[in-house]
Amino acid sequence: MPYAEQRPIRLPETPAVLDVRHAVRAWLAEFGPEPRCVAVALSGGADSLALTAAALAESAEVHALIVDHRLQAGSDVVAATAAASARSLGCRSARVLPVAVVGPGGMEAAARQARYAALDEARSGLPVLLGHTLDDQAETVLLGLGRGSGARSIQGMAAADGPWGRPLLGVRRASTRQFCADLALTPYEDPHNHAPEFTRVRLRTEVLPLLEEVLGGAVAPALARTAGQLREDNAALDEFAGELLSRAGAGSPECAVLAEAATAVRRRAVRAWLLSHGVPGVTATHLRGIDDLVMAWRGQGGVAVGGGERGTRLVVVREHGRLTLARTDRERRDRRETS
């Protein structure tokens, strides 16, 4: 669509408006590009609508990107309404991005993948601001706890992660709703946000309120603080793991060098090694099995880690005191395992 001239926006100085504006201003000061030109992922809900308005007040140029997942009747109307809101607020442009939600992992995962792919393609090199709030962060931490896959899964979302920016991770959802009320904006209420078949909805409507009642309040901020502390710890451990992998040899790590390190650092180094060689979906089970090749070597066979070209499987084996990746014939191995 053609660009429109971005008009300056004046906002009332209510507590909610200042809360959101200050969060966006701080994010731009720490992570924003120069000149301050950004895209905003706008769904039409209160969080992204407040973010868009605040970004317009704090940025030189804002482009709205509206993803139409086409999962509900009338989703095109919702998307068009969000685009109209963006233009009326003063966005330089507003684009609707229809997507097809298909793929493994259920509807939530497929919708997320389609959404991020569309935003990445349409952002034209700009960072994309997302309307995730402190409440979303708390829900993400609880989801990670439920998976039980370690500190990385409960470190929550990053304020800046590649092209994605999340200025509102310290802002409560109540503030974004009040922001919209203060500006007489009518946010879209997505019925999926109240559908109990989604785990995140039950966390929001059942689990977190119960935790607040039992633990005496302030649970969501505490979970968000925990996520921030874990992210700092994980960054340090990742740095140690990188140094370890460099000493052990990034191509084929030497087991004796890996064995000198603490378990957490060693397993992170192995994970980084696997990812650098194109192994997808590294799991805790993979890492435990490979750790046994390093720390409890008794001549055992390799650890299958998936991936590989069509008809082959990637396997981590120990050879001459080093970890190596080998490709095996998948069909022949499967026949041997089932015989």
Side-chain angles (χ1 to χ4, degrees):
M1 64 166 292
Y3 288 149
E5 181 181 356
Q6 182 169 312
R7 303 186 302 273
I9 182 172
R10 294 182 63 85
L11 302 178
E13 294 189 354
T14 66
V17 169
L18 292 175
D19 190 19
V20 177
R21 280 192 66 173
H22 289 165
V24 173
R25 185 182 303 167
W27 189 93
L28 288 168
E30 185 171 0
F31 304 110
E34 288 295 341
R36 290 186 170 185
C37 301
V38 298
V40 177
L42 175 61
S43 68
D47 299 337
S48 63
L49 200 55
L51 175 61
T52 301
L56 282 162
E58 300 294 337
S59 305
E61 187 173 293
V62 178
H63 299 267
L65 301 175
I66 302 98
V67 176
D68 178 7
H69 296 91
R70 299 189 287 188
L71 293 173
Q72 305 170 45
S75 65
D76 56 335
V77 176
V78 173
T81 301
S85 296
R87 287 190 290 269
S88 67
L89 284 169
C91 285
R92 179 75 181 274
S93 70
R95 293 177 57 193
V96 174
L97 312 172
V99 299
V101 177
V102 293
M107 187 181 73
E108 287 179 277
R112 183 183 185 280
Q113 182 176 357
R115 177 168 62 254
Y116 277 84
L119 292 170
D120 195 24
E121 183 178 354
R123 65 187 180 88
S124 300
L126 297 176
V128 180
L129 304 188
L130 308 171
H132 296 126
T133 65
L134 183 149
D135 299 86
D136 294 308
Q137 184 77 300
E139 294 160 13
T140 300
V141 172
L142 286 177
L143 286 169
L145 281 170
R147 287 193 294 269
S149 51
R152 198 180 299 276
S153 70
I154 55 176
Q155 68 178 5
M157 297 173 283
D161 181 18
W164 317 115
R166 299 179 178 88
L168 305 186
L169 288 181
V171 175
R172 299 302 302 263
R173 191 174 287 136
S175 288
T176 63
R177 299 190 70 85
Q178 186 59 49
F179 182 111
C180 292
D182 293 343
L183 267 67
L185 299 173
T186 304
Y188 170 64
E189 297 291 346
D190 187 345
H192 283 158
N193 289 337
H194 305 281
E197 62 266 28
F198 297 121
T199 303
R200 186 177 284 271
V201 171
R202 296 197 66 187
L203 286 175
R204 181 179 306 156
T205 58
E206 300 175 36
V207 176
L208 274 169
L210 180 59
L211 286 173
E212 294 277 352
E213 178 185 338
V214 172
L215 298 178
V219 169
L223 288 169
R225 285 196 305 273
T226 298
Q229 291 162 2
L230 280 170
R231 185 167 293 279
E232 293 174 353
D233 292 347
N234 284 331
L237 286 169
D238 285 342
E239 184 175 345
F240 296 148
E243 295 171 355
L244 173 64
L245 186 57
S246 179
R247 294 198 310 274
S252 182
E254 186 178 350
C255 294
V257 176
L258 292 175
E260 296 172 356
T263 301
V265 177
R266 182 174 62 250
R267 290 185 180 179
R268 283 170 184 262
V270 170
R271 179 180 184 273
W273 172 64
L274 291 172
L275 292 175
S276 71
H277 284 74
V279 177
V282 180
T283 68
T285 300
H286 293 147
L287 295 178
R288 285 194 298 269
I290 297 168
D291 206 46
D292 283 344
L293 295 179
V294 176
M295 303 299 295
W297 174 243
R298 57 186 186 281
Q300 66 266 39
V303 178
V305 292
E309 299 171 355
R310 185 183 181 90
T312 67
R313 173 183 293 174
L314 289 174
V315 179
V316 178
V317 297
R318 176 167 172 158
E319 293 180 337
H320 308 295
R322 291 182 176 272
L323 297 179
T324 62
L325 268 173
R327 284 181 170 80
T328 64
D329 183 283
R330 187 185 299 270
E331 293 183 4
R332 186 171 63 223
R333 180 186 175 97
D334 289 345
R335 285 198 301 270
R336 188 165 61 246
E337 289 175 351
T338 57
S339 62

